[in-house]
Amino acid sequence: MTATTRRHSSLDWGRVWTVARTDLQQLAQARDFWLPMTLLGSFFFVFIPAILLLTITRIGDVQVVDQVADTLAVLPASAQEQIRGDSPEGRTGYALAVFLFAPVAVIVPLTISTAVGAATIVGERERGTGEFLAHSPAAAREIYLGKLLASLLPGYGTVVVGFGLYSILVNLTVGPEVGGWFFPTQQWWVMILWVLPPFLAICLSLVLRLSARVSSTAAAQQASGLISLPLIMVAYSQSTGALFGAGILPVVIGGVAWVLAAFSLTRGVRSVTRSRLLGVGRNM
Amino acid sequence: MPQTQVPTSVTEDGTTTVAELRSVSKRFGDVPALEKFDLVIPKARITVLLGPNGAGKTTAIRLVTGALSPTEGTISVFGTTPDGPDGENVRRRCGVVSAKPSLYDRLSGYDNLRYAAELYGLGPKTAADLRIREAAAQFGIDDALGQEVGGYSTGMKTRLALARAVLHEPELLLLDEPTSGLDPESALAVLAMVREMTATGRTVLMCTHLLAEAEGLADEVVVIQRGTTLVSGNPTDLAHYYWPQPEVTITTSEPGRLADVAALPGVRRVDSVDGGVRLELDAVSRTPEIVRALASSGVPIDSVVPYRPSLEDLYLAVRRDLGSQQDEDGVRPMPTGGQLTTSPPTLVDATVGR
């Protein structure tokens, strides 16, 4: 048994979900985690957009409108053509809502998912619960996928809820200025459903690999910041490009991201081993 | 989920075994945890792996379930290799209580058990719930199932860990220092529970460094040191090996009058003990005539008790022999190789012993 050839048995999705659900259940108990993360989501999806959009559309601050209007001049022509509204307030509000808040949809889920993912495997080791998982019948890749889901869902869930609230907010504030409810636009649907998930998956596959190798949660949090920040910037630029671009460009960006995500996830499966759950051996 | 109890292997002497580790080495980088380690776990018995901290007991348990792979050697558990493609089936048939309870503090006791029930595939929720209640009741933890485990005492956590380990009715229970951190009363209760579990035909491998804990519990003893098996066998056979001649302890209110006892027929050795002597005899049938001789010479005898060595005595005898071997050779003996039997006792190093 010194050299073992492992045969891949079929994946038990029930066990994957059990691992994910148990992690989520523990997260739900950790008020010290979810409270700041909820505030973060509220801040980016509700408070900042509400203040800016209300300032422009309701208060009609001419100076602010002029400043933002100047900024709009740098948008690509394809984006400028899509801007609706007759009044300067309406056009400015529309442009802000559709184009300039795109990073919100990227920063929030990546931040939340990274924070969860960084602690997930090393946390099992630190609490000693990795021993239980290592002796359990769950396959290492089932544990990996469970952990991945448990990290992905809080981030993506925040986007779904935040996106819903954001949609209502911009329709209520900017809608009357541009002739009715207009949000989400087609590009936003593509970004939320097609472009964002693979970027989230790429980021998490790297963070989970890290979490399996480092010796403490603190180290995992620090190191994952180094991974997630550049990825946030890439995701930001690509998602903005997806919003500004027309036609097939967003679909292509998303497609490439999905291919990269599939590759990264496949490689990442190997990072979770029973010896790493136990916290023994080399390459921790 | 009840498992079919299938004999997995039969040794040359006809003993059915659940697991066999043969000449197994495990190294973490350059650090050896086990070196040429041998272990046989016979079916429906309690095997106690006895050794000091750092001897490699926990590593042995991890190898049995396939949580770790050996660097060298062969392992067979339920007739298959635990770190191979059938490892899931091996782990399904094992229940483990690790040295730390490995529980999720933020979850309730019920949720901890429910998690295990789902990973071990205990079936529909109602059936699993019933089994969870049964297991919790078995260890007297059912009233606390709704509480967060973080608020449990150490004893409650151990009981919950035991309930979790037997939840899926495993054939092989692996207990790694199960009484660690418990007060004496709770420790005794846990050991009683372990004994009860074998009454239903379950096989137990228990690791401990506490001799008193293994006393009276072990059907088989394996003494391990620095990752190597020093000696293995059942306690009675081991005692016969180290104390081949019968011994009796005689106490008196006047120990000074026992000075000539060594001259009596049948007495091979005399050791002084508190309030008397311990005599090694050539046969136990000599005892009445020795007592008569002492009584006729006016020695007031308080008690005559056959000497039954404890596990502690046994452990010390093994260590003493190793020490004398070390003195002779000038090096610490690290026995290698060896044969595996469960009875009679096996001294892995043929040079060790009397």
Side-chain angles (χ1 to χ4, degrees), chain A residues 242-254:
Chain A
L243 283 177
F244 289 169
I248 202 165
L249 179 65
V251 179
V252 172
I253 290 172

Side-chain angles (χ1 to χ4, degrees), chain B residues 69 72 76 125 159-160 187 228 231 233 280 289 316 352:
Chain B
S69 299
E72 287 167 11
S76 172
K125 190 173 184 302
R159 284 164 185 266
L160 187 66
T228 304
V231 63
E280 182 183 306
E289 59 185 283
L316 291 174
V352 177

Side-chain angles (χ1 to χ4, degrees), chain A residues 39-111:
Chain A
L39 283 174
L40 178 80
S42 310
F43 195 66
F44 278 101
F45 276 114
V46 181
F47 296 143
I48 293 179
I51 291 167
L52 270 176
L53 294 176
L54 283 172
T55 305
I56 289 165
T57 57
R58 294 288 182 272
I59 301 170
D61 186 326
V62 178
Q63 194 182 353
V64 174
V65 173
D66 287 345
Q67 283 174 348
V68 178
D70 289 344
T71 310
L72 295 182
V74 302
L75 290 177
S78 60
Q80 291 196 39
E81 284 169 12
Q82 297 171 44
I83 296 173
R84 288 162 54 179
D86 298 325
S87 65
E89 292 83 1
R91 289 178 62 78
T92 306
Y94 185 95
L96 276 176
V98 174
F99 299 118
L100 299 185
F101 287 129
V104 166
V106 176
I107 292 169
V108 172
L110 282 178
T111 305

Side-chain angles (χ1 to χ4, degrees), chain B residues 202-239:
Chain B
R202 203 164 277 158
T203 306
V204 175
L205 172 68
M206 189 176 92
C207 295
T208 184
H209 63 277
L210 300 173
L211 292 154
E213 194 164 87
E215 190 78 57
L217 192 70
D219 296 317
E220 304 289 330
V221 175
V222 178
V223 181
I224 178 176
Q225 179 176 287
R226 295 195 176 188
T228 304
T229 312
L230 297 183
V231 63
S232 64
N234 71 58
T236 308
D237 291 340
L238 288 172

Side-chain angles (χ1 to χ4, degrees), chain A residues 1-2 4 6 15 18 21-22 25-26 29-30 124 128-129 131-133 135-137 274 278 280, chain B residues 62 65 67 70-72 75 81 83 88 91-92 98 102-104 106-107 111 115 118-120 148 164:
Chain A
M1 194 172 62
T2 51
T4 304
R6 291 187 183 281
R15 272 204 297 244
T18 296
R21 197 202 58 222
T22 306
Q25 202 178 346
Q26 291 178 84
Q29 303 286 332
E124 295 277 2
T129 47
E131 184 96 26
F132 164 69
L133 283 178
H135 291 301
S136 79
R274 295 185 189 279
L278 294 168
V280 296
Chain B
R62 289 169 172 178
T65 65
T71 312
E72 287 167 11
I75 301 178
T81 51
D83 72 336
E88 179 184 331
R91 286 184 283 280
R92 235 180 237 289
S98 45
S102 303
L103 297 163
Y104 294 88
R106 280 194 164 134
L107 300 181
D111 286 332
Y115 188 26
E118 289 184 16
L119 288 183
Y120 282 86
E148 247 186 34
R164 186 175 63 179

Side-chain angles (χ1 to χ4, degrees), chain A residues 33 111-122 147 150-152 204 207-212 220-221 224:
Chain A
F33 176 82
T111 305
I112 292 175
S113 287
T114 300
V116 178
T120 185
I121 296 169
V122 69
K147 298 287 180 191
S151 312
L152 194 140
L204 280 177
V207 168
L208 287 189
R209 264 190 252 187
L210 228 152
S211 182
Q221 300 281 12
S224 63

